[in-house]
Amino acid sequence: MNSEEFTNDFINSIRDDKAANFQRRYRDVDVLLIDDIQFLQGKVQTQEEVEAILLEHLEDAYRRLMKRHHKAVENWDNPELTLHQREEYFHDMRKSAKKLRYAAEAVGAATRLKTKRLYNACKALQSSLGDFQDSVTSRDKLVQMASAARRRGEDTFGYGLLYQRERAVGLESLENYTDEVKAIRKAYKRLLKSVKKAHEKAAKAAKKKKEKKSRDKED
C-alpha cells in the first residue's frame, strides 16, 4: 500500500472510533511495506489534521468518562436502584477509562504531545474498577450457587459469608476512586495546556516565517 492510503485509513479509523481495529490490523502483519513513504514528510496539513482528529477523539472520550463519573457518584446511594444497577455505573466507568487510555495512547504515538501521565492515570482507574467488577461477578456467581444449594436443601450460610466478603473486597477497590478520577482530570488539563502552548509556538513560528518571506520579497 502507499503512504496516502495508510494515512487515510488511520484518519478514518479515528473518525469511526475504530482505532483499536486499526492497531490490530497493522500489528498482526508480518511485514508492512509502504510505498512513497516520503508522502508523509513535510505534510504539515496532514499532520495537523491527524492531530486535530486525535485531540477531538480524546476530548470526546474524556467528556464521556466525566459524564459517567457523575452518574456513578450521584446514583451510588440512590434507593430507587438495585445494588446491581448502581454498580453497573462503575462498570461503565471502567469501559470509559479504557477508551480514554487508548485515545491518549494514540495521541502520544502520532504527535509530540506527552500523554503518558494521562495514560497511566486511566490505567490506574481501569485496574481498580476491574477489581471492583471482579468482585461483582464473584458475588453473582455465589448467588447462583446459593440458589442451587437451597433447592437441594443444603445450608447456604457459608455462601452468605463469602458474599459479604466479596462485597467488602469490592468496596476496598473503590477506596482510591476519587483520587484516581482527580488524577485523570489533572492530567487532562495539563495536556490541554501543553496543546495550547504548542499551538501558540507554531503560530509564532508561522508568523515569523511569513514576515521573513515578505521582507525577502521587498528586497
Side-chain angles (χ1 to χ4, degrees):
M1 72 185 308
N2 60 48
S3 298
E4 185 172 8
E5 291 172 342
F6 178 82
T7 301
N8 290 336
D9 192 15
F10 173 72
I11 292 173
N12 291 333
S13 71
I14 298 300
R15 282 176 174 161
D16 298 336
D17 195 21
K18 295 181 179 179
N21 291 339
F22 174 88
Q23 292 175 347
R24 283 195 298 269
R25 182 160 62 252
Y26 288 102
R27 282 177 179 172
D28 291 343
V29 298
D30 295 326
V31 179
L32 177 62
L33 298 177
I34 302 178
D35 295 330
D36 62 341
I37 193 66
Q38 66 274 11
F39 172 81
L40 297 178
Q41 297 178 351
K43 293 290 183 179
V44 178
Q45 184 175 357
T46 300
Q47 292 172 358
E48 290 178 347
E49 182 180 3
V50 170
E51 180 177 319
I53 292 172
L54 286 171
L55 288 175
E56 182 180 344
H57 184 72
L58 184 74
E59 180 183 5
D60 180 66
Y62 175 76
R63 289 182 182 279
R64 286 175 181 271
L65 179 137
M66 295 311 299
K67 184 177 181 180
R68 287 182 171 180
H69 161 64
H70 292 310
K71 282 188 176 181
V73 173
E74 291 171 0
N75 287 286
W76 182 242
D77 294 319
N78 188 344
E80 296 181 359
L81 299 177
T82 64
L83 176 61
H84 193 275
Q85 288 174 324
R86 285 181 277 139
E87 291 175 336
E88 188 65 22
Y89 283 112
F90 286 92
H91 182 49
D92 290 339
M93 266 296 289
R94 178 173 175 265
K95 290 186 286 187
S96 290
K98 183 178 180 180
K99 278 196 171 185
L100 182 56
R101 179 168 68 90
Y102 285 157
E105 183 180 26
V107 171
T111 72
R112 296 182 179 180
L113 297 172
K114 298 179 179 180
T115 61
K116 188 174 181 180
R117 189 184 297 269
L118 178 59
Y119 176 90
N120 288 337
C122 291
K123 187 176 181 180
L125 178 61
Q126 187 182 342
S127 178
S128 295
L129 293 179
D131 292 339
F132 176 75
Q133 186 60 31
D134 287 343
S135 74
V136 173
T137 302
S138 295
R139 288 189 354 249
D140 288 344
K141 183 64 176 177
L142 285 169
V143 169
Q144 295 175 5
M145 294 172 66
S147 296
R150 190 177 299 108
R151 288 194 295 270
R152 294 192 299 269
E154 299 174 1
D155 183 13
T156 60
F157 180 75
Y159 291 108
L161 293 178
L162 291 174
Y163 181 94
Q164 292 303 323
R165 174 54 186 163
E166 285 297 332
R167 171 69 172 152
V169 169
L171 293 176
E172 286 175 8
S173 66
L174 293 179
E175 287 181 353
N176 296 322
Y177 175 81
T178 300
D179 291 336
E180 288 167 348
V181 172
K182 286 182 179 178
I184 290 177
R185 185 184 289 113
K186 183 178 180 180
Y188 181 74
K189 289 182 177 179
R190 183 169 180 169
L191 178 60
L192 289 185
K193 288 182 179 180
S194 66
V195 170
K196 184 179 180 180
K197 288 182 179 179
H199 287 173
E200 290 175 348
K201 185 177 179 180
K204 288 181 181 179
K207 183 179 180 181
K208 287 183 179 180
K209 185 177 181 180
K210 185 177 181 180
E211 292 174 347
K212 184 178 183 302
K213 187 176 182 180
S214 179
R215 288 195 300 269
D216 291 342
K217 283 184 178 181
E218 292 176 356
D219 295 339

